[in-house]
Amino acid sequence: MDNVNGFQSYFQFKQVNWPSMWQATFETVWLTIVSVLLVAVLGFALGLVLYQTNASGGRVNRLLNGIVALFVNVFRSIPFIILIVLLIPLTKGLMGTMIGPKAAIPALIISAAPFYARLVELAFREVDGGVLEATRSMGASKAQIVWQVLLPESMPALVSGLTVTAISLVGYTAMAGVIGAGGLGNLAYQDGFQANQNAITLVATVIILIIVFICQKTGDLVVQHIDHR
């Protein structure tokens, strides 16, 4: 009984402002969806360039591969919380503000797209070389090989990689909230931690976990549907 009373005194759920909690949840979900869509496009493009230029010879291809690989390796290695600070001038120039949900979008994209690009490149490398050679021998163009062979064959791995990236982005949105980007991270830090209202932090954490579980389950279901191996 004492433990129950202690729990209730530590987590006073009457402190939770539910309209604010749902607004923060919407901001986190919105940020995640927008970021995932943009990261999927940019990451796919970067991964395709890495795969194509690495497989082909020539000075121009090697130079392009080196430039893209450098971009990917550098921005994939910078901790997200530091990257947000470094990108403040770019963010202000692009978004017109340094606070609020949309202010986190440039940092989210630049941090996650290189990570997904490497997963895309790895997915393409796992495609059976025999299938690619057979397609080339039938006179298929590079574009046909990419869209009719490479993409369909690697789709399960691409979706799995995007699922992992989406889960990482949920965590990044929480970190972005600490410096005023809104969402559940901002609510948990400012209204929860700084105001010593532990129930707000707990509820925000549980909602973030639910979002992560939904992302993972959705990705697993999509992979099961498209993977016919």
Side-chain angles (χ1 to χ4, degrees):
M1 193 66 178
D2 291 339
N3 292 334
V4 173
N5 292 333
F7 180 85
Q8 291 176 343
S9 63
Y10 189 77
F11 296 108
Q12 299 180 30
F13 291 98
K14 63 182 180 181
Q15 299 172 342
V16 179
N17 184 328
W18 291 106
S20 297
M21 186 66 69
W22 301 136
Q23 176 63 28
T25 301
F26 172 79
E27 291 175 353
T28 295
V29 172
W30 178 84
L31 262 179
T32 302
I33 292 175
V34 172
S35 300
V36 167
L37 293 176
L38 295 175
V39 165
V41 174
L42 181 58
F44 177 83
L46 291 173
L48 181 60
V49 170
L50 287 172
Y51 174 79
Q52 294 283 42
T53 56
N54 188 56
S56 305
R59 182 177 301 176
V60 175
N61 281 340
R62 289 197 300 269
L63 177 62
L64 182 59
N65 183 271
I67 293 173
V68 175
L70 179 63
F71 171 82
V72 168
N73 291 335
V74 167
F75 285 99
R76 191 179 59 160
S77 304
I78 300 175
F80 180 72
I81 196 68
I82 297 177
L83 184 62
I84 294 179
V85 177
L86 292 175
L87 292 178
I88 284 178
L90 176 65
T91 299
K92 189 173 182 179
L94 290 176
M95 313 306 291
T97 181
M98 295 184 297
I99 59 174
K102 69 177 184 178
I105 291 178
L108 289 171
I109 296 172
I110 293 176
S111 64
F115 174 75
Y116 184 55
R118 283 301 185 189
L119 296 179
V120 170
E121 182 189 18
L122 181 61
F124 288 160
R125 288 181 178 277
E126 291 178 348
V127 175
D128 188 353
V131 176
L132 296 175
E133 287 300 326
T135 307
R136 291 191 187 98
S137 66
M138 290 187 290
S141 65
K142 288 186 177 180
Q144 289 175 323
I145 292 174
V146 170
W147 297 110
Q148 298 179 15
V149 179
L150 200 61
L151 185 59
E153 290 291 325
S154 62
M155 187 58 70
L158 292 176
V159 174
S160 295
L162 190 60
T163 302
V164 173
T165 306
I167 291 172
S168 297
L169 281 168
V170 174
Y172 289 166
T173 61
M175 282 189 281
V178 174
I179 61 169
L184 291 166
N186 182 74
L187 190 70
Y189 181 71
Q190 290 191 351
D191 294 3
F193 176 74
Q194 288 193 329
N196 198 32
Q197 296 185 1
N198 304 300
I200 294 177
T201 304
L202 176 63
V203 172
T205 302
V206 170
I207 295 175
I208 289 173
L209 289 174
I210 292 172
I211 294 173
V212 169
F213 291 153
I214 292 173
C215 289
Q216 185 66 63
K217 187 62 177 179
T218 302
D220 292 342
L221 291 174
V222 173
V223 170
Q224 290 174 12
H225 179 71
I226 64 177
D227 192 355
H228 303 295
R229 292 175 294 179

